[in-house]
Amino acid sequence: MRLAVCVSGRGSNLVALLDALSGSAKAEVVLVLSNCAEAPALDRARERGIPAAAFTNHRDASEWIALLREHRVDLVVLAGYLKLVPAGVIQAFRNRILNIHPALLPEFGGPGMYGLHVHEAVVASGATVSGATVHLVDEEYDRGAILAQARVPVRQGDSAATLAARVLKAEHRLLPAVVLAAAEAGHPVPLPEPLELPA
Ligand code: GRF
């Protein structure tokens, strides 16, 4: 399965995915795309010899589709991609776009719920459990079918930053698990609950 990974910033989920896929005969990251030419994640890809590019216009579906077709991409993975995917791309790649979100959807998702805002809202809510969700991407932010979740405790005294760090570790195991399962099945599949993640 040929993967494109879309990123906006640091790229730690991209690196976790690349590490998990190294040596896999079933899935390969063939392209990394960003809305931001300065995203450190693009450097993480280039260091490993993976083609990496910033969109000229991230709102232009035809630019996305041309790149995805040129690289014969089967599955698109949003790993810290902060912009809306154009509707034309969602139509062209229906059920073949995944996103990772740093909370237990359907709670704490939707417009404006990204980065530390998510964890601030979780801490403020008094929830005792948070986590990460991988879901299919449709036309609405954070609303597509959920494929897998990993739970993480919210501890007394947690700040958004300490919770974010704990959730991120779970993200780094959850996203590769879902991608590897998709590669095995030939298309995205839900993972069993509760999920046993490798340490
Ligand atoms: C992750 O928490 C991801 O869930 C969210 O943005 C963050 C990206 O981190 N959508 P990184 O760029 O993968 O390090």
Side-chain angles (χ1 to χ4, degrees), residues 4 14 21 28-29 50 60 62 73 82-83 110 121 180 191:
L14 168 66
L21 296 183
E28 182 188 6
V29 176
I50 299 166
D60 178 4
S62 61
V73 168
L82 297 180
K83 299 288 183 188
L180 282 164
L191 296 193

Coordinates of all heavy atoms in Angstrom, one line a residue, residues 4 14 21 28-29 50 60 62 73 82-83 110 121 180 191:
A4 N 0.6 8.4 1.3 CA 1.0 9.8 1.4 C 0.7 10.3 2.8 O -0.4 10.0 3.4 CB 0.2 10.7 0.4
L14 N 4.7 11.3 12.0 CA 5.3 10.8 10.8 C 6.5 9.9 11.1 O 6.6 8.8 10.5 CB 5.7 12.0 9.9 CG 6.6 11.7 8.7 CD1 5.8 10.9 7.7 CD2 7.2 13.0 8.1
L21 N 7.0 1.3 9.9 CA 6.9 0.7 8.5 C 8.2 0.2 8.0 O 8.3 -0.5 6.9 CB 6.3 1.6 7.6 CG 4.8 2.1 7.8 CD1 4.3 3.0 6.8 CD2 3.9 0.9 8.0
E28 N 4.3 1.5 2.5 CA 5.4 2.4 2.3 C 5.0 3.8 2.1 O 4.0 4.1 1.4 CB 6.1 1.9 1.0 CG 7.4 2.7 0.7 CD 7.9 2.4 -0.7 OE1 7.3 1.6 -1.5 OE2 9.0 2.9 -1.1
V29 N 5.6 4.7 2.8 CA 5.3 6.2 2.6 C 6.1 6.6 1.4 O 7.3 6.6 1.3 CB 5.7 7.0 3.9 CG1 5.5 8.5 3.6 CG2 5.0 6.5 5.1
I50 N 12.5 10.5 1.3 CA 11.1 10.4 0.8 C 10.7 11.8 0.2 O 11.0 12.8 0.8 CB 10.2 10.1 2.0 CG1 10.6 8.8 2.6 CG2 8.7 10.2 1.6 CD1 9.9 8.5 4.0
D60 N -6.6 23.7 -3.1 CA -6.8 23.4 -4.5 C -6.8 21.8 -4.7 O -5.8 21.2 -4.7 CB -5.7 24.0 -5.4 CG -5.8 23.6 -6.9 OD1 -6.8 22.9 -7.2 OD2 -4.9 24.0 -7.6
S62 N -7.4 20.0 -7.2 CA -6.7 19.4 -8.4 C -5.2 19.3 -8.1 O -4.6 18.4 -8.6 CB -7.0 20.3 -9.6 OG -6.5 21.6 -9.4
V73 N -0.7 7.0 -5.1 CA -1.0 6.9 -3.6 C -2.3 6.1 -3.5 O -3.3 6.4 -4.1 CB -1.1 8.3 -3.0 CG1 -1.7 8.2 -1.6 CG2 0.3 8.9 -2.9
L82 N -3.2 20.4 9.8 CA -4.1 21.3 10.5 C -5.1 22.0 9.6 O -6.0 22.8 10.1 CB -3.3 22.4 11.3 CG -2.4 21.8 12.4 CD1 -1.6 22.9 13.1 CD2 -3.2 21.0 13.4
K83 N -5.1 21.8 8.3 CA -6.0 22.5 7.4 C -7.1 21.5 6.9 O -6.9 20.3 7.0 CB -5.3 23.1 6.2 CG -4.2 24.1 6.5 CD -4.8 25.4 7.0 CE -3.8 26.4 7.2 NZ -4.3 27.6 7.9
G110 N -13.8 18.8 16.3 CA -14.5 19.8 15.6 C -13.6 21.1 15.4 O -12.4 21.1 15.8
A121 N -9.1 21.8 26.8 CA -10.6 21.5 27.0 C -10.8 20.3 27.8 O -11.7 20.2 28.6 CB -11.2 21.4 25.6
L180 N -0.9 -0.3 9.6 CA -0.5 -1.7 9.3 C -1.7 -2.6 9.0 O -1.7 -3.4 8.2 CB 0.4 -2.2 10.4 CG 1.9 -1.7 10.3 CD1 2.6 -1.9 11.6 CD2 2.6 -2.3 9.1
L191 N -10.1 -1.4 14.2 CA -9.4 -2.3 15.1 C -10.2 -2.8 16.2 O -11.1 -2.1 16.6 CB -8.1 -1.6 15.6 CG -7.1 -1.2 14.6 CD1 -5.7 -0.9 15.2 CD2 -6.8 -2.3 13.5

